[in-house]
Amino acid sequence: MKNLKRQWKFIVVLIAGAVGLISQFALHSKSLFSIGNLQFPVHAIIIDIIGILMAISLLLEIFHDWKTGRYGVDILAVIAVVSTILIGDVSAEWMILVMMTGGETLEDYATGQANKELRALLDKTPRIANKLVDGKITEVKVDDLQVGDTVLIKPGQQVPVDGQIVKGTSSFDQSSLTGESVPVTKNPGDELMSGSVNGDVAVEMKVTKAAKDSEYQSIVALVKSSQAQPAKFVKMADRYAIPFTVISLIIGGVAWAVSGDATRFAEVMVVASPCPLLIAAPVALVSGMSSMSAHHIIVKSGPTLEKLARAKTFAFDKTGTLTENQLIVDQVVTDDKSFDQKELQSLAASVEQQSSHVIASSLVKATDKDLIHPVTNLKETTAQGVEGDVDGKHVKVGKLSFVAPGHEKLNVTSTAVYVSVDGKFAGYITLKDKMRPESPKTIERLRRQGAEDIMMLTGDHKQVAEKVAKEAGITDVRSELLPSQKIQAIKDVPKHLRPVVITGDGVNDAPSLTAADVGIAMGAKGATAASESADAVIMVNDISKVNDAVAISKHTMKVANIDVLTAIGVVIIIELIAFTGVIPAFWGAILQEVVDMITISLGLLAKTKPSDKQFGLEEK
C-alpha cells in the first residue's frame, strides 16, 4: 500500500508538470490573476499547489519522526521546495518534486529487484491438492487438508503438506528445502516434506501435518515475517542527519549572505535534498536480506544484519547444532571372553531392531544388516530396556540395573547400553554424538571472520560436552546448563565482547535465542519454537551457513557505509559548486536525480558475492 501511494505521488507530479506545460503554451504564459506587481501564471499555480501539498505531507512525516525521537534530513527537502516557491522558480520546483517522488519510486523498484528471491519463494507455495476419496480425485485447497487424508501427488507436482508415502516409489527434488541438488528416492513409509517436487511416478501420501504446521508453509511464514519487519536502517541515516543538515544550511546561508541573493540559497538547498542519503542504506540492507535468502538463510529484520556484522561472541548449542542429533557407536567393550566385539554388537542390535528409542535406532543403524538376526519372545520394560531370544540365546539390552544387577559400580561416563547373555553380564556399547563434518571448519572460519570468543552452551554431561568441544575446536565449554543458566551465560558476556550470536535448534534453545543479540535457528527440519524465537533461520541442514550469514552481513554493511558516505560527499561537493552560482536550481535538481541513481546502483552491490576474507576463507 505504501509503495502504491509513492507511485501515485510520482504520477501526480508528472501529470501536474504536463498540465502546467500545456497551459503555459496554450495560454501564452498569461496570468490567472495578479496582486499588485505579482503575476500568477496558470502553470505556476498548478505546480505550487502540488509543491505545497507535498511539503505539508513531508512536514507531517517529520513531526511523526520527532515524536518517536528520530531527527532525519527530510527538513532539507521541505526547505528546498519552499525556497523555489518563494523565488518563483517553477521549473526547479517541479524538478525537485520529480526528484523526491521519483527517488522514492526508484527505491521501491530497487527493493523489488532485491526481493525477487523472497517473492519467488512465496509464489511457489502449494495451494491445490489432489485428495483421494473412495478412489476418486477431488481438488481441494491445501488449507482444507486434514491429518489422515490421502493425497495423490502426480509427476512434477509439489508435495502440498507434510506426509508419509502409502503407495508408490519416486524421486523427490528437495533442493528448495535442504539445498541438496540430487533428488532423493522415497518409498512407502518414508516421510515427505511439503514443497518438495515429485519426479516421474505418481505416489499416494497420507497427510501427517496440517498446512499451517508443514515444512514449506513454515518457511513461507518466516519470509512473510521478514517482509512484515522491513529494513529499518534509520540508525545510520540519523547518525549523519543533523551534521549534514547543519552543513547544508551553513553553505546555503553563506551563499545568500555573500551574494545578497536569496536565489543562491535556494540553489544550494535544491542540491542539498537528502534523497540519496535516505535511499542508500535501505536499498543495501534489502539487497543483503535478499542475498541471505538466496543462501537459504531467512533474516527477519534489517538490524539483524548490522548486529551480525559487528558480532564478537558466538555461542552454540551442542546436540543438533554442532552435532547431527544422531548417535554413532564409539566403543564396544566385552566382559566375557565367549563374545568378541562384533558378536556382542550383533546380539544387541538384533534385540533393539524393533525399538523406536533414539539409542536403539542409532545402534541398529550403525550395525551391518548382515549381523542383525531375527528376534523372538521380544519384551520391552518401560524406561529400562528390552530382552528377547536371538540364535538360541536370551539377550537383555538396556540400563545396567536392568541388564546385570550387582554391576552398578561400573563407571561409564559416556552414553551407553549394557548387554547380558543368558543371565550373564557380557559387556557394554558406548555411543557418541556424530559431529557435523562442517562444524570444526565453521568454528575456524568464524575466528578468521573476527570472532573474539566462541563458546558451547549445553545441558549435556561435562565429559561428553568437552569431548565434542575439543573435536569442534571450542575451548570455552559450559555444560550441564538449564535453559535459565544458558540465558545467564549470555547476559554475563561483557560489553566489549558484544554483540552475542547464539545458534541452536531445539525447543529448549528458544529462550537463549531470544536473550542473545542475534539468535540463529537451525530450522531445516521444520518450524520449531527455536525458529519462531530466532532473528534468523538457516533453512538447510548446514551449520557453515553461519559463516555465510556473517560474510553477507559484513559485506552488506560495508556497501551501506560506502554508499551513505559517497552520497554525502557527492552532495556536499555539488552544494559547494552551487555556492558559486554556476548551477541553476533546475539543473541542480537534475543532478540530484543522477546522484539518486548512483546511490541505488551502489546499494544493489550488496547482492554481489562477499570477498573470501569476509567468508573467512583467507588467513588473517
Side-chain angles (χ1 to χ4, degrees):
M1 189 70 184
K2 182 180 179 181
N3 292 353
L4 190 62
K5 182 180 178 181
R6 286 178 163 186
Q7 291 172 8
W8 271 110
K9 282 184 179 180
F10 183 54
I11 292 170
V12 167
V13 169
L14 290 179
I15 292 174
V19 171
L21 187 64
I22 292 170
S23 65
Q24 181 179 9
F25 285 102
L27 299 175
H28 303 293
S29 299
K30 290 182 180 178
S31 299
L32 188 64
F33 62 89
S34 60
I35 299 177
N37 294 325
L38 297 176
Q39 304 296 314
F40 294 90
V42 174
H43 69 283
I45 292 174
I46 294 172
I47 301 299
D48 285 348
I49 290 173
I50 299 298
I52 291 169
L53 292 175
M54 292 292 180
I56 292 172
S57 175
L58 269 177
L59 283 172
L60 291 175
E61 292 178 16
I62 292 169
F63 180 69
H64 174 75
D65 288 343
W66 284 354
K67 287 198 300 181
T68 58
R70 281 190 56 202
Y71 300 93
V73 288
D74 285 331
I75 190 67
L76 288 175
V78 174
I79 293 173
V81 172
V82 173
S83 297
T84 51
I85 292 175
L86 292 177
I87 66 173
D89 193 332
V90 178
S91 298
E93 179 190 350
W94 179 74
M95 199 62 216
I96 291 173
L97 294 175
V98 170
M99 176 191 68
M100 288 169 51
T101 56
E104 292 176 340
T105 303
L106 285 171
E107 180 186 350
D108 292 339
Y109 172 75
T111 300
Q113 289 295 106
N115 264 327
K116 281 195 295 187
E117 288 89 351
L118 299 182
R119 289 202 310 275
L121 186 65
L122 295 174
D123 292 341
K124 292 178 182 177
T125 307
R127 292 181 174 84
I128 301 295
N130 297 316
K131 182 178 176 181
L132 287 173
V133 181
D134 298 327
K136 295 182 179 179
I137 298 176
T138 304
E139 285 194 350
V140 298
K141 293 181 179 179
V142 169
D143 292 339
D144 293 335
L145 289 174
Q146 303 292 322
V147 174
D149 286 345
T150 301
V151 175
L152 177 68
I153 305 170
K154 298 178 181 179
Q157 285 188 334
Q158 271 190 315
V159 177
V161 293
D162 290 356
Q164 184 180 56
I165 294 180
V166 294
K167 184 178 179 181
T169 297
S170 186
S171 61
F172 287 81
D173 179 358
Q174 301 179 152
S175 58
S176 63
L177 301 164
T178 66
E180 298 173 0
S181 58
V182 179
V184 180
T185 300
K186 298 285 186 177
N187 302 300
D190 288 341
E191 301 293 328
L192 290 178
M193 294 185 290
S194 64
S196 54
V197 180
N198 189 12
D200 301 325
V201 181
V203 299
E204 293 180 14
M205 180 193 79
K206 182 175 73 174
V207 176
T208 57
K209 288 184 181 179
K212 63 183 179 65
D213 301 318
S214 291
E215 181 70 21
Y216 198 83
Q217 285 82 351
S218 71
I219 299 174
V220 169
L222 287 169
V223 173
K224 288 182 177 178
S225 173
S226 72
Q227 289 187 322
Q229 302 178 57
K232 298 179 181 178
F233 199 74
V234 297
K235 292 183 179 179
M236 181 178 289
D238 287 352
R239 197 179 304 151
Y240 299 112
I242 293 178
F244 178 72
T245 301
V246 171
I247 290 172
S248 298
L249 289 173
I250 289 174
I251 293 173
V254 173
W256 186 356
V258 170
S259 66
D261 186 359
T263 302
R264 192 70 57 82
F265 175 79
E267 289 171 349
V268 173
M269 288 300 100
V270 167
V271 297
S273 180
C275 284
L277 182 59
L278 297 175
I279 292 172
V283 172
L285 269 182
V286 173
S287 296
M289 292 173 70
S290 175
S291 184
M292 288 279 202
S293 177
H295 283 76
H296 300 282
I297 307 164
I298 303 298
V299 177
K300 296 182 180 180
S301 65
T304 298
L305 292 173
E306 185 175 5
K307 293 175 185 176
L308 267 173
R310 296 187 294 108
K312 295 181 179 178
T313 298
F314 289 82
F316 292 88
D317 176 47
K318 180 181 73 68
T319 307
T321 305
L322 292 170
T323 66
E324 291 188 346
N325 203 16
Q326 175 187 333
L327 297 173
I328 57 174
V329 172
D330 186 20
Q331 291 180 305
V332 179
V333 181
T334 61
D335 195 57
D336 190 329
K337 294 181 180 179
S338 301
F339 304 101
D340 60 20
Q341 293 178 333
K342 181 183 288 187
E343 189 174 4
L344 184 69
Q345 184 173 340
S346 171
L347 292 171
S350 298
V351 174
E352 294 273 37
Q353 63 184 295
Q354 295 183 31
S355 174
S356 59
H357 192 278
V358 63
I359 294 178
S361 60
S362 297
L363 176 58
V364 172
K365 189 173 182 179
T367 304
D368 192 321
K369 291 182 179 180
D370 294 336
L371 296 177
I372 299 177
H373 306 298
V375 58
T376 58
N377 301 321
L378 187 67
K379 179 183 176 183
E380 183 170 357
T381 303
T382 304
Q384 295 296 319
V386 294
E387 57 186 303
D389 296 330
V390 180
D391 294 338
K393 301 179 181 69
H394 187 71
V395 181
K396 296 179 73 173
V397 183
K399 290 184 176 180
L400 187 57
S401 58
F402 169 73
V403 168
H407 286 72
E408 283 83 355
K409 292 183 179 179
L410 185 65
N411 184 25
V412 179
T413 57
S414 303
T415 301
V417 292
Y418 301 87
V419 186
S420 70
V421 180
D422 292 332
K424 185 178 180 181
F425 180 63
Y428 60 89
I429 301 170
T430 63
L431 298 99
K432 65 177 182 178
D433 285 323
K434 183 179 180 182
M435 177 70 66
R436 290 181 185 272
E438 71 273 14
S439 289
K441 193 69 174 178
T442 298
I443 302 303
E444 179 186 346
R445 287 174 58 193
L446 279 175
R447 290 195 173 96
R448 292 179 184 175
Q449 289 176 303
E452 296 184 22
D453 185 27
I454 300 176
M455 56 185 175
M456 176 196 290
L457 305 178
T458 179
D460 213 336
H461 297 295
K462 182 178 180 180
Q463 293 90 338
V464 175
E466 288 181 344
K467 193 171 184 180
V468 171
K470 184 178 180 181
E471 192 176 345
I474 298 175
T475 56
D476 188 354
V477 186
R478 321 284 179 90
S479 57
E480 301 179 17
L481 299 179
L482 296 173
S484 60
Q485 292 172 315
K486 288 185 180 181
I487 293 174
Q488 191 59 48
I490 293 169
K491 289 182 177 179
D492 289 343
V493 174
K495 188 175 181 180
H496 71 277
L497 289 177
R498 290 183 174 274
V500 179
V501 178
I502 184 168
T503 304
D505 79 320
V507 173
N508 64 322
D509 296 322
S512 304
L513 297 179
T514 304
D517 296 303
V518 176
I520 300 177
M522 298 290 292
K525 293 188 177 180
T528 64
S531 61
E532 292 169 4
S533 304
D535 301 294
V537 182
I538 296 173
M539 302 312 303
V540 293
N541 203 25
D542 183 356
I543 197 175
S544 70
K545 290 296 178 181
V546 174
N547 296 129
D548 293 353
V550 173
I552 293 168
S553 297
K554 287 181 178 295
H555 179 59
T556 299
M557 297 312 301
K558 181 179 179 180
V559 169
N561 276 285
I562 290 174
D563 202 3
V564 169
L565 293 174
T566 299
I568 291 174
V570 171
V571 169
I572 289 178
I573 289 172
I574 297 175
E575 286 179 21
L576 292 173
I577 296 172
F579 177 93
T580 65
V582 299
I583 304 178
F586 176 80
W587 288 105
I590 292 178
L591 280 174
Q592 265 287 325
E593 198 68 17
V594 172
V595 177
D596 279 355
M597 294 290 291
I598 294 172
T599 300
I600 290 173
S601 298
L602 283 175
L604 289 174
L605 289 177
K607 289 189 69 176
T608 58
K609 183 182 177 181
S611 67
D612 286 348
K613 184 176 181 180
Q614 289 168 327
F615 270 120
L617 297 175
E618 289 183 355
E619 295 285 353
K620 281 189 175 181

